[in-house]
Amino acid sequence: MSSGQESIFSEYETDTSQTSKLLRKFKETPFVPIGMAGFAMVVGYGLYRLKHRGDMKMSLHLIHMRVAAQGFVVGAITCGVLYSMFQEYVVKPKE
């Protein structure tokens, strides 16, 4: 093996922990982890409110929580796409 290939493999082996992968993904596309965190927060809030839902039916409560979680994720994905388009077409200098 040449020295160039050895450095590539050693760099890959050191960058395989879950934390480093998550940090790299957050730097590349910051809205994906934000969408995942928002989804988890909506689910947590839904589970908390499940106990105090009053006379609301269970199915109606679950539908509301599902719509809220999906809305947060779709909003985060939309913001991410708009952000990447802004970076690609507005900020990036024309060649």
Side-chain angles (χ1 to χ4, degrees):
M1 288 187 150
S2 68
S3 62
Q5 289 177 341
E6 291 172 4
S7 65
I8 291 172
F9 292 131
S10 64
E11 180 181 327
Y12 175 74
E13 290 171 356
T14 59
D15 194 32
T16 57
S17 71
Q18 293 296 327
T19 306
S20 63
K21 285 181 183 180
L22 184 62
L23 289 174
R24 182 176 44 89
K25 179 60 84 173
F26 187 74
K27 288 178 184 175
E28 290 174 2
T29 55
F31 290 98
V32 171
I34 291 171
M36 291 169 33
F39 176 79
M41 288 185 341
V42 168
V43 168
Y45 177 73
L47 289 174
Y48 171 74
R49 291 294 300 166
L50 185 63
K51 188 174 184 180
H52 306 289
R53 70 182 187 273
D55 60 352
M56 182 186 293
K57 289 185 178 181
M58 172 77 88
S59 61
L60 187 61
H61 175 74
L62 293 176
I63 289 171
H64 288 170
M65 290 300 108
R66 182 191 61 126
V67 169
Q70 285 178 336
F72 194 91
V73 171
V74 168
I77 290 171
T78 303
C79 290
V81 167
L82 292 174
Y83 176 75
S84 66
M85 287 176 59
F86 177 76
Q87 291 293 333
E88 176 107 9
Y89 297 112
V90 176
V91 175
K92 185 177 177 182
K94 301 207 183 216
E95 296 177 9

